[in-house]
Amino acid sequence: MPWDDLEVATTTVRCEPSGREVVVVHSTSLVEAVHQVGLPLGQSCDGAVVCGFCRVRVVEGWVNLSPPAAQEVGLLRMLHARPEERLAC
């Protein structure tokens, strides 16, 4: 198969207030995207969805995110997160 025929679903992630952007494939976590643009984002559980340090506010583009798993929903509830907040891991 020629490389020209290869299609990969991508999306652009913009980090505010810096305005830095990166184009990532759909399977990329938000924490990976933030690190790709060179910004720090706390994370102590290595993506195990137990610490909540990677909590971010999603301004737009909800349709590009996978639905939160039960573990994320529970942790966000425990953290009293706002509806527009998600865990970047």
Side-chain angles (χ1 to χ4, degrees):
M1 171 162 79
W3 288 107
D4 294 339
D5 294 337
L6 183 62
E7 289 189 36
V8 178
T10 62
T11 192
T12 300
V13 175
R14 184 178 62 246
C15 299
E16 295 295 347
S18 72
R20 293 184 190 180
E21 293 184 347
V22 64
V23 177
V24 297
V25 296
H26 277 201
S27 61
T28 305
S29 70
L30 288 174
V31 74
E32 291 174 53
V34 170
H35 289 157
Q36 284 184 33
V37 297
L39 294 172
L41 182 60
Q43 182 185 21
S44 69
C45 69
D46 199 28
V49 192
V50 294
C51 72
F53 289 138
C54 67
R55 184 169 59 174
V56 296
R57 184 170 57 98
V58 179
V59 178
E60 61 183 64
W62 282 93
V63 297
N64 294 315
L65 298 178
S66 57
Q71 190 174 0
E72 180 183 1
V73 170
L75 183 55
L76 288 171
R77 187 176 301 125
M78 188 175 74
L79 296 170
H80 304 287
R82 295 179 177 164
E84 69 275 8
E85 292 179 323
R86 292 288 305 268
L87 298 180
C89 64

